[in-house]
Amino acid sequence: MQSTHLSALEAKHAGIERRLADESRRPLPDPTLLSLLKKQKLRLKEALSGRTSG
C-alpha cells in the first residue's frame, strides 16, 4: 500500500516538474503560477522524503 502512495506522490511531483518547465519556457511566464507550482513541488518533495526515511 505504501509503495502505491509513494508512486502516486512521485507521479504528481513529475507532473508538477513538467508544468514548471513548460511555464518557464513561455515567452512571458506567469510568476504567480511558477511560485504556486514551486510550493506544490516542495510540499511533495517533503512528503516523499518523509516517506522514505520512516
Side-chain angles (χ1 to χ4, degrees), residues 3-22:
S3 65
T4 302
H5 182 68
L6 187 60
S7 295
L9 289 175
E10 289 171 344
K12 286 181 182 180
H13 187 270
I16 290 173
E17 185 80 33
R18 281 190 302 275
R19 288 180 64 195
L20 265 170
D22 289 346

Side-chain angles (χ1 to χ4, degrees), residues 2-49:
Q2 285 183 343
S3 65
T4 302
H5 182 68
L6 187 60
S7 295
L9 289 175
E10 289 171 344
K12 286 181 182 180
H13 187 270
I16 290 173
E17 185 80 33
R18 281 190 302 275
R19 288 180 64 195
L20 265 170
D22 289 346
E23 185 64 27
S24 295
R25 283 192 293 266
R26 288 170 35 114
L28 290 172
D30 181 348
T32 305
L33 179 57
L34 287 174
S35 177
L36 177 69
L37 291 171
K38 287 178 182 181
K39 287 177 185 177
Q40 289 176 357
K41 183 180 166 188
L42 180 60
R43 279 190 225 109
L44 283 170
K45 184 177 178 182
E46 290 171 348
L48 284 167
S49 67

